[in-house]
Amino acid sequence: MKLLVTGGAGYIGSIVARLLIETGHEVVVFDNLERGHREAVPRQAQLILGDLRNPEDPRRALDGGGFGGVLHFAALALVGESVEHPGRYYRTNVAGTLNLLEAMVAGGVPRLVFSSTCAVYGQPDEVPIAETAPPRPQNAYGASKLAADHLIGDFCAAHQLAAVSLRYFNVAGAHGEAGEDHEPETHLIPNILKVALGASASVQIFGTDYPTDDGTAVRDYIHIDDLAAAHLLALEHARAGEHLILNLGNGNGFSVREVIEVARRVTGEPIPAREAPRRPGDPPRLVAASDRIRAALGWVAQKPELETMIADAWAFAQAHPHGYSRSDSAASA
Ligand SMILES: NC(=O)c1ccc[n+]([C@@H]2O[C@H](COP(=O)([O-])OP(=O)(O)OC[C@H]3O[C@@H](n4cnc5c(N)ncnc54)[C@H](O)[C@@H]3O)[C@@H](O)[C@H]2O)c1
């Protein structure tokens, strides 16, 4: 199938694009390189430089191209930035998604797989978090993703679009030569590995008095390969007129201290840690219920161990100690 991958120069999009190519699909990447890297785009994929905020860009990309579907990863995804600059988040994540959906309808593209997030749930009443949990986002990032989910649902009903929203928890690991390189990096594992590489002095533990076994916050980490595999299944299972919403996590929680300990074992480095107060709005535990995705897609995690995720991320970090070449990024041009 011919597929458009928005955000295919970013961490997750570039790896899902690889898996799509490895399984015989034709991939066109659509990205403005604002937060991604030209070097991350798979060599076999065509790259269209375009911006979702300009309605004509996605329309031109999809017009008359015979696309069987879109995988929509392009977004802004920094919680702190979203609180300071909500307008940016609604413009890219909501208006950008609207422009894409209208371009899909105009171009007759039947299927969509969308990167949603557990940030739509905010502070959950129950953990593991099921899809029936009330969405109560605590920041503009989560709210913008929830708004995009609503848009998608309405387009499915009105235009017979087939869509699956996958609500990711914490994504980790690497796939061969492709891995995680955000600027700024806010994710725990790559930040721990920067300490292991000697690029930063210590890692901060935000909050040591949570009601968890070791007092640090617990999060659900999923290997990027398992996450990517779910996208292929979602493409196969999407049905016209239906919008399926599925949580996508490992179903296992790991505390911040556990993650640091495993990283020490995997890297053989001491990785000094500094304790700091809790960050406002950080819940004690965020773990996905994965019953619905197992039933709907037959998806099962193949790499559930934290060791594997960290070992793969470590191999990427060692091969790319400064990330992808900064000169390839529009952000630094
Ligand atoms: N990384 C995680 O753990 C995680 C967790 C939950 C949800 N998600 C979601 O997954 C998706 C991908 O995350 P990621 O970590 O790969 O992010 P990323 O920042 O690495 O990739 C996003 C890509 O989108 C592109 N982009 C941004 N604005 C654009 C625009 N207006 N037009 C065209 N391209 C644009 C960027 O240049 C970048 O290449 C995002 O939608 C994010 O919200 C990620």
Side-chain angles (χ1 to χ4, degrees):
M1 202 187 291
K2 185 172 177 184
L3 298 165
L4 190 79
V5 175
T6 77
Y11 168 44
I12 299 172
S14 68
I15 293 179
V16 176
R18 279 173 172 72
L19 194 71
L20 292 168
I21 292 165
E22 286 164 17
T23 49
H25 294 286
E26 178 185 350
V27 170
V28 178
V29 165
F30 178 96
D31 203 296
N32 66 357
L33 298 183
E34 183 185 340
R35 310 254 157 133
H37 312 273
R38 190 185 289 269
E39 209 186 312
V41 176
R43 275 181 293 279
Q44 303 91 324
Q46 181 196 342
L47 170 63
I48 296 180
L49 285 176
D51 195 315
L52 285 177
R53 292 168 297 187
N54 301 329
E56 60 280 8
D57 285 5
R59 193 175 283 257
R60 248 199 319 267
L62 290 173
D63 196 22
F67 284 93
V70 173
L71 294 103
H72 178 31
F73 302 93
L76 301 183
L78 296 170
V79 168
E81 183 188 49
S82 83
V83 175
E84 276 179 53
H85 302 285
R88 279 185 204 166
Y89 277 69
Y90 288 106
R91 194 160 286 117
T92 294
N93 297 358
V94 184
T97 300
L98 175 59
N99 291 337
L100 178 67
L101 287 166
E102 289 185 328
M104 289 179 68
V105 172
V109 183
R111 288 177 202 84
L112 174 73
V113 181
F114 174 60
S115 305
S116 189
T117 165
C118 66
V120 301
Y121 296 115
Q123 303 262 1
D125 296 328
E126 283 176 31
V127 179
I129 305 171
E131 291 80 353
T132 47
R136 288 186 301 235
Q138 305 285 303
N139 47 63
Y141 169 57
S144 68
K145 286 285 182 169
L146 182 62
D149 273 342
H150 288 317
L151 274 176
I152 293 166
D154 290 345
F155 270 68
C156 286
H159 302 289
Q160 288 300 297
L161 183 69
V164 181
S165 286
L166 297 172
R167 290 186 171 162
Y168 312 160
F169 283 61
N170 290 61
V171 190
H175 179 86
E177 88 258 19
E180 187 165 11
D181 177 13
H182 295 117
E183 185 53 47
E185 186 55 80
T186 57
H187 296 123
L188 180 63
I189 292 175
N191 278 327
I192 290 175
L193 296 180
K194 281 185 185 169
V195 181
L197 278 172
S200 37
S202 61
V203 62
Q204 276 190 296
I205 301 178
F206 294 104
T208 52
D209 58 350
Y210 282 106
T212 58
D213 285 351
D214 66 17
T216 65
V218 169
R219 296 291 179 266
D220 180 319
Y221 294 88
I222 177 174
H223 195 292
I224 181 75
D225 285 345
D226 283 333
L227 182 106
H231 288 74
L232 271 83
L233 292 169
L235 262 184
E236 277 171 31
H237 285 78
R239 295 284 167 267
E242 275 181 28
H243 179 211
L244 203 54
I245 295 181
L246 302 171
N247 288 346
L248 180 49
N250 201 358
N252 283 329
F254 302 98
S255 75
V256 175
R257 279 200 215 281
E258 277 179 287
V259 177
I260 296 171
E261 264 320 308
V262 172
R264 285 178 178 144
R265 278 205 303 278
V266 167
T267 63
E269 298 293 335
I271 312 182
R274 275 187 299 129
E275 296 185 0
R278 293 184 188 193
R279 288 180 301 199
D282 262 357
R285 281 169 58 82
L286 290 176
V287 177
S290 39
D291 326 36
R292 190 184 279 189
I293 193 165
R294 283 170 201 267
L297 305 185
W299 175 87
V300 181
Q302 304 296 319
K303 299 182 177 180
E305 301 84 14
L306 198 51
E307 279 78 3
T308 316
M309 299 178 214
I310 294 182
D312 291 351
W314 179 230
F316 176 79
Q318 286 179 299
H320 301 83
H322 307 292
Y324 290 109
S325 154
R326 296 273 168 228
S327 60
D328 278 343
S329 160
S332 62

